[in-house]
Amino acid sequence: MADIEIRTKGSAGRITLNRPDALNALTREMCGEIKSALDAWQTDPAVAHVLIDAAGERAFCAGGDIAEMYRTGTADDYTYGRQFWAEEYRLNAQIFNYPKPIISFLQGFTMGGGVGVGCHGTHRIVGASSRIAMPECGIGLVPDVGGSLMLALAPGRLGEYLALTSARMDAADAIYAGFADLNIDEALWPDLIARLESGAAPDILTEAATPPGPSALQAQQAQIDRHFGGERLSDIRTSLSHEPDAFTRDAEKRMARNSPLSMACAIDIIHRLRGPSISMAKALDLEYRFTFRAMEHGDFLEGIRAAIIDKDRTPHWQFAKGDVPAVTVSKMLMPLGKDALELEEAVMSKGKIGFIGLGNMGAPMAQNLARAGYDVIGFDTVVETVPDLTIAASAAAAVAGADVVITMLPNGAILRQVVDDTLQHVKPGALLLDCSTVDVESARAVAAQAEAAGMLYVDAPVSGGIGGAAAGTLTFMAGGSAKAFAAAEPLFEIMGQKAVHCGEAGAGQAAKICNNMILGATMIATCEAFALADKLGLDRQKMFDVVSTSSGYSWSMNAYCPAPGVGPQSPADNGYVPGFAAELMLKDLGLSQQAAEAVNADTPMGAQALALYRTFVEEEDGAGQDFSAMLPRFAARERS
Ligand code: NAD
């Protein structure tokens, strides 16, 4: 029987790890075969998604096959190990950046190399038997295969705790820590796999998932943060020893088994990653600096000897007594120069975008980004599928690991709630780009919150409607720092035709509400003029032909004509299904009057437009209609 089975079945690329007697440990050959298959499927239109599972009940994959590394390493040949690690890390990056959904089914143990194959895809499924861990410090390595990225992104100091104690996570813990997405009864897995092979979309997984119950790690978070927040290994040890209780004793016992040098380096890697430029590429680069030196200067060969070869479980670690000098940690993690890990550009996507709010505007904007090569993970409380996007089970899952988070939501209160709920899951240094139309105060509050958390923030409401969103011709009015605006520019270029940097945070919203105050007034003026024209016996088409090329022209007339069958396609041609909902216009006019009040500006037309849209939405039949449905309203009325 082959160690790995690779085939396509229906619309799925299928990979099954098949070394159950060795807990499906990854060999170099298996990594190579997975990589070749992913290369081929990446552009194969017949493959919609990739499913990775494993034979046997005990493990998805308990790690990498390190016997050959030991044999060559003890003969002073470090090349084999270095090449294996580099190939494996390139595979991990490929899985992380893959342009199609990768779904993994993680029964039993998923550890080390197994995490690299099973925990970087888009849908990571766990069940009652799942046990996920990064126990590398126990064999003289550091958490690698991209695991350091997830550790750096885990809540609070959980990453340090998991790295230093090798603690095993059950399904609830793994989801809490960001190593898994969905808890599904393992009895359902074979049927779900069969349905995914037959063309079902990955959404069926979300439907089959159930809450995993409470996470023990989450319950311990306060203790973890208190004791594992230290700058160095010695700080953490001191904190643990000063407060003896069941938690600290257990942590000390676990840490006593591990290589001090590995633990000190793991802490340093996690801390370095938490800076502004966190990325998978950076995580793998740092990990490789350690593993490249692990046989020659680290504890790796001794760790393998004690655990696997002699099985005496009494490794003789360096720095077994006393502290690990900072200079030794630095030396292990120095850049490698010409030996540095090279990731293949071709397999890297342009970056990961979490997109929250996939309504009339958000969905086409997100699709344009996905088509331009971004890995877009969307979330909406109502919308369940959007072509080209991966839909996450929660907003938190959509933003986890993203380089950019984009919001396109109905109002400031919802925006604030979404940011409150997700900010802790967003990686530091990421760009938060809010394209919704919200009040200036909410924009400034969210900007301050995001910046305090180490992120870049731009408020960039749009103009151009659903047509502009679909065509990628929106105008963005942006507020934020020059640095944040520069970071957002490549995205504006894809979603729009123009972006104006209006000033500091909130300036984009200020421009937007002024623009929409004009829009509300001109739409009303256009609609009442059509209703008057009707009563004067003027044909609507003739009215359009004249006004659209005369001084009465406006966007409302020329691009979004409220009269059905006249002018370019608009919601009027579709029974006034929004488009831009009348409620949203009411919201924007309310924002403009709120702002005018705050700065004592006289805006009588805006106030009148607000009053009319309020009556239309709240007392007439305007709710649920496009804002251009003012035309049938006026047409049906008489002068009062
Ligand atoms: P929409 O109502 O179609 O979309 C908003 C989406 O947000 C909905 O799908 C809704 O389910 C989702 N949502 C609500 N709460 C959520 C939450 N907590 N988490 C995740 N998703 C949530 O509205 P739209 O027309 O797409 O407008 C979006 C924003 O863009 C608004 O602020 C609007 O003022 C602005 N805007 C709209 C237009 C337009 O022509 N439609 C033009 C310019 C600006």
Side-chain angles (χ1 to χ4, degrees):
M1 211 49 162
D3 287 345
I4 187 162
E5 286 180 25
I6 300 215
R7 69 269 184 215
T8 54
K9 202 153 178 213
S11 54
R14 290 287 285 113
I15 296 171
T16 303
L17 311 181
N18 191 28
R19 293 182 77 202
D21 294 343
L23 298 182
N24 295 315
L26 279 183
T27 62
R28 192 172 172 185
E29 291 68 32
M30 288 161 78
C31 285
E33 288 189 50
I34 298 173
K35 182 152 192 337
S36 306
L38 292 179
D39 285 344
W41 294 337
Q42 184 155 325
T43 51
D44 181 347
V47 173
H49 40 239
V50 177
L51 312 187
I52 310 181
D53 63 354
E57 290 173 2
R58 290 169 61 210
F60 168 76
C61 173
D65 190 356
I66 38 193
E68 183 64 8
M69 283 198 188
Y70 182 79
R71 198 189 61 73
T72 50
T74 46
D76 289 342
D77 169 10
Y78 308 128
T79 312
Y80 174 87
R82 289 168 178 169
Q83 285 176 348
F84 184 175
W85 276 311
E87 287 165 15
E88 188 179 14
Y89 295 177
R90 281 194 277 271
L91 170 64
N92 304 141
Q94 183 179 24
I95 292 171
F96 184 80
N97 291 303
Y98 205 61
K100 298 181 180 181
I102 295 187
I103 303 156
S104 50
F105 293 86
L106 309 173
Q107 81 276 16
F109 291 115
T110 298
M111 301 198 290
V115 168
V117 170
C119 297
H120 294 316
T122 52
H123 298 72
R124 303 159 301 172
I125 312 302
V126 283
S129 75
S130 300
R131 296 289 178 271
I132 300 183
M134 296 300 288
E136 287 84 353
C137 290
I139 52 164
L141 275 183
V142 292
D144 64 341
V145 296
S148 63
L149 179 77
M150 284 185 286
L151 294 173
L153 292 170
R157 299 302 183 147
L158 185 54
E160 285 91 330
Y161 174 80
L162 291 170
L164 267 53
T165 62
S166 309
R168 290 174 182 173
M169 296 178 273
D170 64 11
D173 291 335
I175 290 173
Y176 176 65
F179 280 68
D181 301 301
L182 298 168
N183 175 59
I184 301 181
D185 182 349
E186 289 171 35
L188 304 177
W189 292 8
D191 177 56
L192 289 168
I193 290 174
R195 287 167 63 198
L196 289 164
E197 288 171 346
S198 317
D203 302 349
I204 59 166
L205 297 166
T206 315
E207 286 155 20
T210 51
S215 154
L217 286 178
Q218 185 171 12
Q220 292 178 323
Q221 185 75 55
Q223 282 163 297
I224 289 171
D225 290 349
R226 192 160 71 250
H227 295 298
F228 285 81
E231 198 50 40
R232 301 175 48 189
L233 178 61
S234 54
D235 302 327
I236 294 172
R237 282 175 164 161
T238 305
S239 176
L240 290 169
S241 66
H242 280 187
E243 244 183 80
D245 60 22
F247 170 81
T248 55
R249 279 205 205 100
D250 176 68
E252 282 179 320
K253 201 169 124 202
R254 291 166 177 277
M255 287 167 61
R257 300 183 196 130
N258 292 343
S259 154
L261 177 60
S262 293
M263 291 193 288
C265 289
I267 295 168
D268 213 58
I269 290 175
I270 292 169
H271 289 186
R272 288 197 206 187
L273 278 173
R274 284 214 190 97
S277 56
I278 188 167
S279 68
M280 177 56 100
K282 187 172 175 187
L284 291 168
D285 178 70
L286 283 169
E287 292 168 4
Y288 189 62
R289 293 181 194 183
F290 184 95
T291 48
F292 186 90
R293 299 179 172 110
M295 291 198 232
E296 201 174 358
H297 304 293
D299 284 326
F300 177 61
L301 294 175
E302 174 60 8
I304 299 302
R305 183 204 63 72
I308 314 251
I309 309 296
D310 297 342
K311 295 194 169 70
D312 59 21
R313 309 213 179 275
T314 48
H316 302 290
W317 302 128
Q318 305 175 65
F319 311 105
K321 294 194 174 62
D323 283 350
V324 181
V327 64
T328 310
V329 173
S330 301
K331 277 188 183 163
M332 287 301 285
L333 298 179
M334 267 185 340
L336 287 169
K338 65 174 178 37
D339 292 318
L341 179 71
E342 281 183 16
L343 298 175
E344 291 162 31
E345 279 303 312
V347 301
M348 306 290 281
S349 89
K350 282 188 176 169
K352 203 165 183 172
I353 297 178
F355 204 116
I356 315 290
L358 302 169
N360 290 322
M361 296 293 287
M365 290 164 70
Q367 280 179 288
N368 283 335
L369 292 167
R371 287 173 192 149
Y374 286 89
D375 188 5
V376 184
I377 317 294
F379 175 73
D380 190 292
T381 42
V382 175
V383 179
E384 288 177 357
T385 52
V386 176
D388 306 320
L389 306 192
T390 303
I391 304 296
S394 66
V399 305
D403 307 293
V404 177
V405 174
I406 301 182
T407 42
M408 195 56 175
L409 295 161
N411 58 48
I414 294 177
L415 171 70
R416 285 187 192 219
Q417 187 63 55
V418 166
V419 171
D420 275 348
D421 292 345
T422 55
L423 202 58
Q424 57 178 314
H425 303 283
V426 180
K427 69 184 185 191
L431 168 69
L432 260 62
L433 180 59
D434 175 43
C435 298
S436 333
T437 305
V438 304
D439 55 293
V440 176
E441 201 188 316
S442 288
R444 290 190 178 141
V446 171
Q449 202 179 346
E451 275 158 23
M455 287 143 208
L456 297 171
Y457 180 82
V458 177
D459 56 283
V462 304
S463 174
I466 47 172
T473 55
L474 295 168
T475 296
F476 289 85
M477 307 150 219
S481 67
K483 186 177 172 196
F485 181 76
E489 265 184 315
L491 306 165
F492 294 149
E493 275 169 27
I494 294 163
M495 296 186 285
Q497 60 180 348
K498 188 172 175 192
V500 181
H501 189 191
C502 301
E504 288 304 310
Q509 297 296 350
K512 173 68 186 174
I513 57 178
C514 291
N515 179 77
N516 275 25
M517 190 171 77
I518 299 172
L519 175 63
T522 57
M523 181 55 83
I524 290 170
T526 306
C527 291
E528 69 182 24
F530 264 119
L532 172 62
D534 286 347
K535 291 191 172 154
L536 293 173
L538 184 63
D539 178 59
R540 285 183 171 183
Q541 183 63 49
K542 301 287 180 216
M543 161 91 168
F544 175 83
D545 291 345
V546 172
V547 176
S548 64
T549 52
S550 302
S551 47
Y553 82 93
S554 68
W555 185 86
S556 298
M557 173 62 83
N558 291 34
Y560 206 90
C561 183
V566 178
Q569 274 283 320
S570 71
D573 302 310
N574 187 27
Y576 296 100
V577 173
F580 183 40
E583 301 94 302
L584 290 179
M585 176 48 85
L586 174 60
K587 175 195 75 169
D588 290 2
L589 289 165
L591 294 178
S592 71
Q593 292 317 292
Q594 194 184 316
E597 186 96 37
V599 296
N600 199 15
D602 188 19
T603 54
M605 291 286 284
Q608 185 60 35
L610 171 64
L612 273 167
Y613 269 104
R614 180 170 292 139
T615 309
F616 184 48
V617 169
E618 294 177 359
E619 295 169 32
E620 301 168 358
D621 58 352
Q625 297 205 61
D626 188 73
F627 84 120
S628 60
M630 274 282 172
L631 172 51
R633 175 195 184 272
F634 280 118
R637 292 171 65 88
E638 289 177 356
R639 195 171 181 80
S640 55

